[in-house]
Amino acid sequence: MTELHTYAAEVALALPETACSQPFGEGCDVYKVMDKVFMLSFHLEGKAAINLKVLPDHGAMLRDIYPYIRAGWHMNKQHWISVFEDQELDESLVQDLVLNSYELVVSKLKKAEQNRIALLRMI
């Protein structure tokens, strides 16, 4: 995979009620659903990287399996992972991780917001 940021952004922005901003300045895109962060996109150590929310057990498993997945940089290490661009990284894994992060955040939203997102997905 060559363009981690581009592909992750495409996946994220296709999801209902998703917005991208740069509250930390240029060089760090923050993706939110209903004002709740589910992905950050940035460069670290000269490599493209994204931070994504995960269940703690999934995060530990992913870090054990994939050398390019580490504990979330500048985030809660149990609930976030950093995925670094790597030749072995494939689009389906990135898509799954972005969708999973989004779903985790949506599951914590108010019921009315969850219902709105569910309706938008049907359109």
Side-chain angles (χ1 to χ4, degrees), residues 3-111:
E3 279 296 324
L4 174 62
H5 288 166
T6 303
Y7 185 68
E10 284 174 17
V11 173
L13 293 172
L15 299 166
E17 297 297 322
T18 296
C20 177
S21 63
Q22 294 182 323
F24 308 119
E26 259 185 64
C28 183
D29 291 339
V30 178
Y31 295 82
K32 298 179 180 182
V33 55
M34 298 283 205
D35 277 337
K36 303 288 183 198
V37 176
F38 72 93
M39 182 173 86
L40 290 96
S41 177
F42 54 92
H43 280 87
L44 185 65
E45 300 166 6
K47 282 189 168 184
I50 55 174
N51 277 356
L52 297 164
K53 198 165 183 71
V54 290
L55 292 171
D57 290 347
H58 289 170
M61 178 191 69
L62 289 164
R63 288 190 302 273
D64 286 347
I65 296 171
Y66 302 104
Y68 45 82
I69 296 180
R70 302 185 209 152
W73 182 72
H74 268 293
M75 306 296 272
N76 180 309
K77 305 296 184 223
Q78 280 194 312
H79 296 279
W80 290 84
I81 56 171
S82 290
V83 180
F84 288 82
E85 189 152 49
D86 187 276
Q87 289 177 326
E88 301 298 314
L89 179 61
D90 70 351
E91 287 184 356
S92 63
L93 178 60
V94 172
Q95 182 177 13
D96 287 349
L97 292 173
V98 171
L99 292 173
N100 182 55
S101 181
Y102 176 87
E103 293 297 339
L104 277 173
V105 173
V106 167
S107 73
K108 303 291 185 195
L109 295 174
K110 294 175 187 152
K111 202 67 173 164

